[in-house]
Amino acid sequence: MTKLIVFDKDGTLMELGSIFVKLADDVINEFSSRTNIHVPKSEIKDAFNIIDEKIDMFTASSSARKIVEKLSLLPNGDNISQFVSKKLESMHTENEASKIEIIHGVKETLEQLKSEGYHLAIVSADDTESMDLFLNKFNIKEVFDKVVTSDNSKYHKPQKELLEEVMQALNCAPEETIMVGDTEIDVMLGRNAGVHKVISVLSGSGDSQDLQNADVILNSVADLQDII
């Protein structure tokens, strides 16, 4: 009997977005599977300029720094310059959040699974800040019983310990657990941890060839209820 469903995030719950995001995702997964060395996704995404270039370039530019420095010279300038600095940081965060989209039907499916009594969890190579942007934007943080990111676990995909710590935290056995993801490395993670079933989705990076070792391949997480 299934008690726990563990999801990848990018491409599984969240739209990958531009071709550069997909390329970054592929690079990370390929590198991790070949070397067993962990690289946080957020660092690679930055390298691929995923955040809007104009806003990102301005907030990090010497012009922005000069504005803050000039403001600090005014009466009560320290408070004004701190206010502007926070606003610039907020622009960066809001711009990043504006690009985040949930895959169609995923929110409703997660809420239904939760109402049916399943434990739900996420394992992702993203950092906590990026994860929270997604979960908070779509008000689904409370749906998950456990969220594992690159900066709150010493393990990474496809190490079995990553899933084992989730199962232990939620008191679920491998035979009671399903792993859901969009890449070959998600399949490897599920196999390494010996879970009951590995389900792959075609909504992200992987195609049918990449995901051939999964037990089931679906178009998206929105189809999950049909087979559980």
Side-chain angles (χ1 to χ4, degrees):
M1 177 182 176
T2 300
K3 293 184 179 180
L4 169 63
I5 307 172
V6 183
F7 298 90
D8 167 61
K9 179 174 75 74
D10 293 355
T12 301
L13 304 177
M14 190 184 89
E15 295 279 6
L16 284 179
S18 75
I19 58 172
F20 294 106
V21 180
K22 294 176 182 178
L23 177 58
D25 201 60
D26 286 342
V27 168
I28 295 159
N29 290 325
E30 184 67 17
F31 182 81
S32 297
S33 64
R34 288 178 179 271
T35 65
N36 200 32
I37 297 173
H38 172 57
V39 178
K41 278 192 177 182
S42 57
E43 294 182 12
I44 299 297
K45 286 181 178 180
D46 286 344
F48 277 82
N49 297 317
I50 302 309
I51 301 170
D52 184 85
E53 291 183 1
K54 291 181 180 179
I55 292 178
D56 201 38
M57 286 172 63
F58 172 71
T59 57
S61 69
S62 59
S63 297
R65 289 195 297 273
K66 286 179 181 178
I67 290 171
V68 173
E69 290 170 4
K70 293 289 187 183
L71 289 172
S72 69
L73 300 176
L74 297 173
N76 200 31
D78 288 342
N79 289 334
I80 297 172
S81 62
Q82 288 175 16
F83 173 80
V84 172
S85 292
K86 288 180 180 178
K87 283 293 184 182
L88 290 173
E89 291 173 7
S90 178
M91 285 173 61
H92 175 88
T93 300
E94 288 173 4
N95 183 62
E96 188 175 2
S98 71
K99 299 190 174 208
I100 297 173
E101 294 298 337
I102 196 168
I103 292 171
H104 179 72
V106 162
K107 181 175 180 178
E108 296 78 7
T109 298
L110 293 172
E111 291 173 341
Q112 182 61 38
L113 291 170
K114 186 67 175 180
S115 71
E116 293 173 3
Y118 291 103
H119 290 303
L120 305 181
I122 299 179
V123 291
S124 173
D126 255 343
D127 58 27
T128 299
E129 182 180 1
S130 298
M131 178 66 71
D132 284 346
L133 281 174
F134 170 65
L135 297 179
N136 292 332
K137 180 175 181 178
F138 297 102
N139 298 312
I140 55 174
K141 195 167 189 176
E142 300 305 315
V143 170
F144 294 97
D145 302 287
K146 180 77 173 175
V147 177
V148 179
T149 58
S150 63
D151 51 3
N152 67 17
S153 175
K154 62 182 180 180
Y155 304 113
H156 58 272
K157 297 178 183 179
Q159 293 178 318
K160 65 178 183 177
E161 291 86 357
L162 185 64
L163 269 186
E164 287 176 345
E165 69 177 6
V166 175
M167 292 186 286
Q168 289 170 6
L170 300 177
N171 196 30
C172 294
E175 59 268 22
E176 299 171 323
T177 302
I178 290 174
M179 177 68 209
V180 184
D182 70 305
T183 66
E184 184 179 2
I185 201 166
D186 293 319
V187 177
M188 293 168 62
L189 174 62
R191 294 289 180 233
N192 289 344
V195 301
H196 167 63
K197 187 178 291 185
V198 176
I199 298 175
S200 291
V201 291
L202 297 171
S203 52
S205 294
D207 57 23
S208 297
Q209 180 66 28
D210 297 329
L211 307 172
Q212 60 182 316
N213 291 323
D215 295 305
V216 180
I217 300 177
L218 303 175
N219 286 325
S220 83
V221 166
D223 301 321
L224 194 57
Q225 286 178 282
D226 296 336
I227 65 165
I228 292 182

